[in-house]
Amino acid sequence: MTENIDTALGSLEIYAKLILSGLGFMLAAMVIVFVLYRAVSSFVKPTGKFARMVRVAFGAIYVLILLLAVSLAAESLGYDVASFTGIGILLVITGAVVVFFLIPFLPRVPFNVGDLVSIRGHMGNIEAITSYQTVLRTFDGRLIYIPNVLTFSTDIENYSTVPNRRVDVSIQIHAHDNLEAGRQLMLDAMLSDDRVRADPAPSVFVTNIDKGLVTLQAYCWTTNADWFPTRDALIVDITGRLQRADDVELALYEVAVRNIDL
């Protein structure tokens, strides 16, 4: 009886060592792969033309690590894993190639966790995606739970899937002002901001004239991450330049308020 217990404990110790060594190998290898993936992702953007290849390649590496750990554990138990390992590697490589070419044709959710989106009038970052609802965190910290039936039955704006985004700034000046000076003022403000991209080049157009007021619309492009601060800085800069200008000024509306006695 004692011998059986000792044998069982010995076998358990061997299995425990195999399990721990296998898990340690997998954890260390996955950390290395994760670090490499983050390093590569800093050069290959999520929407770049090589992003799909990188994701599939590192996914295949993860599976190969798991296969190698299983093979090492089986070999430690005395099994012949040479043929099994070769077949497994061949299947992983074949699967990676098939997945690479199938991904564009597979249906997928039009956003990922962390993306900045607008769904049914709510704007915020995707907090979680479950099988029955999408969780959206707004800028003021609120959580919006939207059933997927409603999420995917309406238009979805995803601001995180494109590397660059256009900034639009609109002002109104008086028709008797120097229009070319106003146009140049807005161009100078955009050209002086380092976050504004040179290609496509910034531009300003007259988009409307009504009741003595002329609308000037400025367009420029910046990175997605810089869109909010760039737009904010341009509005402040253009407003300051208009206040200092002599031949053009920002048009002010006169609002008539009517008192109603109830």
Side-chain angles (χ1 to χ4, degrees), residues 171-203:
I171 66 169
Q172 284 190 319
I173 62 177
H174 298 285
H176 56 73
D177 288 340
N178 189 333
L179 299 186
E180 285 303 321
R183 187 200 304 268
Q184 190 61 47
L185 181 149
M186 299 182 78
L187 278 174
D188 291 341
M190 292 185 290
L191 293 173
S192 65
D193 195 315
D194 294 335
R195 292 165 297 192
V196 173
R197 295 176 58 87
D199 185 23
S203 57

Side-chain angles (χ1 to χ4, degrees), residues 33-34 36-38 40-42 44-64 92 95-97 99-106 108-109 111-112 115 160-161:
V33 173
F34 176 75
L36 290 175
Y37 179 78
R38 294 300 297 268
V40 173
S41 298
S42 63
V44 181
K45 300 304 179 184
T47 54
K49 58 181 180 180
F50 299 112
R52 178 157 55 97
M53 181 183 298
V54 171
R55 288 195 296 268
V56 173
F58 278 92
I61 292 175
Y62 273 118
V63 177
L64 287 174
V92 171
V97 173
V99 169
F100 175 79
F101 288 105
L102 280 181
I103 282 179
F105 304 100
L106 297 177
R108 65 186 187 95
V109 178
F111 45 74
N112 297 307
D115 284 358
S160 299
T161 56

Side-chain angles (χ1 to χ4, degrees), residues 101-148:
F101 288 105
L102 280 181
I103 282 179
F105 304 100
L106 297 177
R108 65 186 187 95
V109 178
F111 45 74
N112 297 307
V113 173
D115 284 358
L116 175 62
V117 300
S118 176
I119 304 175
R120 304 189 72 84
H122 302 290
M123 178 177 288
N125 295 99
I126 297 296
E127 185 81 5
I129 306 170
T130 69
S131 58
Y132 54 93
Q133 67 184 6
T134 299
V135 184
L136 189 70
R137 182 177 291 276
T138 61
F139 296 134
D140 57 357
R142 293 180 298 123
L143 290 178
I144 308 294
Y145 298 86
I146 308 175
N148 287 336

Side-chain angles (χ1 to χ4, degrees), residues 17-32 65 69:
K17 289 181 178 180
L18 289 174
I19 292 173
L20 291 177
S21 61
L23 289 177
F25 170 77
M26 290 177 59
L27 180 61
M30 287 182 178
V31 169
I32 294 174
I65 290 172

